[in-house]
Amino acid sequence: MEYELFQLLGISLGLGLLVGLQRQYDQSELAGIRTFPLITLFGTITGLLAREFGGWVIAAGFLSVAALTVAGNVLKSKTPPFNVGLTTEASVLLLYAVGAYLVLGNTTVAVAVGATAAVLLQLKEPLHRIVSRIGEKDLKAIMQFVVISLVILPVLPNETYGPYDVLNPHNIWLMVVLIVGIGLLGYFAYKVFGKKAGTILGGILGGLISSTATTVTYARRTKNEATNTTLAAIVIFIASAVSVFRVITEVAVVAPATLATVGPPLAAVFLLMLLLGTVAFFFKKKGHDHVPEQQNPAQLKTALVFGLIYAAVVLATAFAKDQFGEEGLYIVAVISGLTDVDAITLSTARLMNTGALEMSNGWRVILVAALSNLVFKGAMVGVLGSRAAFGKVAVLFGVVLAGGLLVLWLWPSDLQLFSNLFPSVA
């Protein structure tokens, strides 16, 4: 018991020192390297007392800390200039609560909250720089994502409806949030690195936001501008490789227990694309590429379109499985992959996660969709781009298609890698 008590006090002291060190470094006049450890220890002591005397002790302690903070600010105001920021004051109250929560709550959570507070305080300048670079369009993207994820999602019913009883509004919109979130991550990475991101980063950002949109943009540039066709082909190829990595990530999020079986064959195709992209990059001519303006992926219209596509794929998957068995899913994969590989990936991952689809068939369905998507993007380059760009993309995609077909044909159905990290569903 004494060991656990001293352990709690030691953690409390450490968190207070961590935040206090940062505040002292930032030259806070209210509280620093000595005050914050005292506050967290005070919170821990009131938490221990609350076990014996009730929660009013914590409330009284909180009011005392708040009163000391107010008194400190009153004294500061008599010595101009007076900093009206509330960061240190908020940190004081939070660290008191963390100290008490160490006793009455979860230690891991308390440590995480305290450490996060210290990191946020230290990131003041970088965060301010990011905010200063956010325009009205970027703020709109953030607000739209908040609406999509925190307003719409919670109110949707978590029940199944429709034919085959497979349409769950909450699950459908949850997949929308996942895809929009990935796209938004790429969008803000583009904002941070700017238009002069270069070939590799341009392809990565394009794959995160939309590999199809990236393909269309760069294909058109090879026809309308004096663009290096090799450069454009590499960006398109990198974006497509990132889209395959996205597929693996989506499976890991939606059906992590299947990753030991599903991940390796998809990773084999991704590694082949990574190798090809690396070779092509080192053989390209010198030149600097500008990443084209990226569209906001969090638009409500975009989210609704993906939600409808995903619902249609879920319904088509259930129909095909009912009418033709698991073999019918390959037809759905080919058709769905032409427009959006994310929808069939998420639908298939959910089927595998519930045991409604064998994992050995599931990864093949996903891979067929990914290969179908490559064919579609290659065709777009042929229609929208120059002949030279199409020839280079066709060679790169052709090698990947051949490799993907070999994986479909030769990969052992029962092979599992890293199963100790990703235990499969029994």
Side-chain angles (χ1 to χ4, degrees):
M1 181 63 184
E2 288 185 359
Y3 171 77
E4 293 179 356
L5 177 59
F6 281 109
Q7 185 181 42
L8 284 176
L9 292 171
I11 294 172
S12 178
L13 177 65
L15 290 174
L17 285 170
L18 180 65
V19 175
L21 176 64
Q22 197 286 325
R23 290 287 83 193
Q24 188 75 40
Y25 179 80
D26 204 45
Q27 298 182 345
S28 169
E29 297 178 4
L30 181 64
I33 189 68
R34 295 180 300 167
T35 308
F36 272 98
L38 292 174
I39 290 169
T40 51
L41 286 172
F42 179 52
T44 302
I45 294 299
T46 56
L48 292 170
L49 291 172
R51 286 179 173 177
E52 297 291 331
F53 303 105
W56 68 268
V57 179
I58 296 178
F62 184 83
L63 292 175
S64 299
V65 172
L68 286 173
T69 304
V70 171
N73 274 325
V74 169
L75 293 175
K76 279 172 57 183
S77 66
K78 298 181 182 298
T79 309
F82 175 54
N83 182 9
V84 296
L86 297 176
T87 305
T88 303
E89 289 80 352
S91 303
V92 167
L93 299 178
L94 176 63
L95 266 291
Y96 168 79
V98 167
Y101 191 75
L102 274 169
V103 179
L104 302 174
N106 186 293
T107 303
T108 304
V109 173
V111 171
V113 171
T116 301
V119 171
L120 283 175
L121 291 170
Q122 184 60 30
L123 292 178
K124 173 184 176 180
E125 294 302 325
L127 289 173
H128 284 190
R129 283 197 299 269
I130 291 173
V131 172
S132 66
R133 296 178 63 177
I134 290 178
E136 182 180 353
K137 182 180 176 182
D138 308 321
L139 185 61
K140 182 179 179 182
I142 295 172
M143 295 305 173
Q144 286 172 332
F145 183 69
V146 169
V147 171
I148 290 169
S149 58
L150 301 180
V151 177
I152 298 178
L153 181 64
V155 302
L156 291 175
N158 193 8
E159 299 178 9
T160 53
Y161 302 93
Y164 300 102
D165 203 33
V166 293
L167 298 178
N168 184 312
H170 185 272
N171 287 342
I172 290 172
W173 202 255
L174 185 62
M175 297 303 100
V176 171
V177 172
L178 173 62
I179 296 304
V180 172
I182 293 174
L184 199 62
L185 176 66
Y187 175 77
F188 279 105
Y190 160 78
K191 288 295 180 180
V192 171
F193 294 105
K195 294 183 178 181
K196 298 181 180 180
T199 306
I200 295 178
L201 190 55
I204 293 173
L205 295 179
L208 285 174
I209 299 170
S210 172
S211 62
T212 303
T214 301
T215 300
V216 171
T217 301
Y218 276 88
R220 284 175 174 166
R221 289 175 65 177
T222 63
K223 205 165 188 177
N224 300 328
E225 304 175 16
T227 303
N228 185 331
T229 55
T230 302
L231 201 71
I234 292 173
V235 173
I236 292 170
F237 188 74
I238 292 174
S240 298
V242 172
S243 71
V244 174
F245 184 76
R246 267 181 63 155
V247 164
I248 300 172
T249 303
E250 289 162 11
V251 173
V253 172
V254 176
T258 70
L259 203 57
T261 300
V262 177
L266 298 176
V269 176
F270 171 71
L271 291 175
L272 173 61
M273 298 183 76
L274 189 63
L275 177 62
L276 284 173
T278 302
V279 172
F281 178 78
F282 282 108
F283 277 94
K284 77 176 180 68
K285 296 178 182 179
K286 290 184 179 180
H288 187 73
D289 187 49
H290 296 265
V291 180
E293 183 72 27
Q294 301 293 332
Q295 297 300 314
N296 169 21
Q299 295 180 25
L300 190 58
K301 180 181 177 181
T302 304
L304 288 171
V305 169
F306 178 79
L308 290 173
I309 292 174
Y310 177 72
V313 169
V314 169
L315 196 58
T317 300
F319 172 79
K321 191 171 183 295
D322 179 64
Q323 297 295 320
F324 309 107
E326 293 189 352
E327 290 75 12
L329 298 180
Y330 293 101
I331 301 174
V332 179
V334 171
I335 298 173
S336 174
L338 293 175
T339 55
D340 196 314
V341 72
D342 293 319
I344 186 65
T345 297
L346 295 170
S347 174
T348 305
R350 281 198 170 276
L351 286 175
M352 291 187 293
N353 199 43
T354 59
L357 177 64
E358 291 289 335
M359 285 183 280
S360 58
N361 287 329
W363 70 258
R364 286 182 167 84
V365 169
I366 294 172
L367 183 53
V368 166
L371 297 179
S372 173
N373 189 251
L374 285 182
V375 172
F376 176 68
K377 285 185 285 194
M380 283 197 300
V381 176
V383 173
L384 301 173
S386 67
R387 185 175 299 179
F390 174 67
K392 291 165 184 174
V393 169
V395 170
L396 291 170
F397 281 4
V399 175
V400 177
L401 288 171
L405 292 173
L406 285 174
V407 170
L408 287 170
W409 182 30
L410 299 176
W411 194 272
S413 60
D414 59 346
L415 179 63
Q416 294 187 358
L417 299 178
F418 310 111
S419 57
N420 56 325
L421 295 177
F422 308 105
S424 299
V425 177

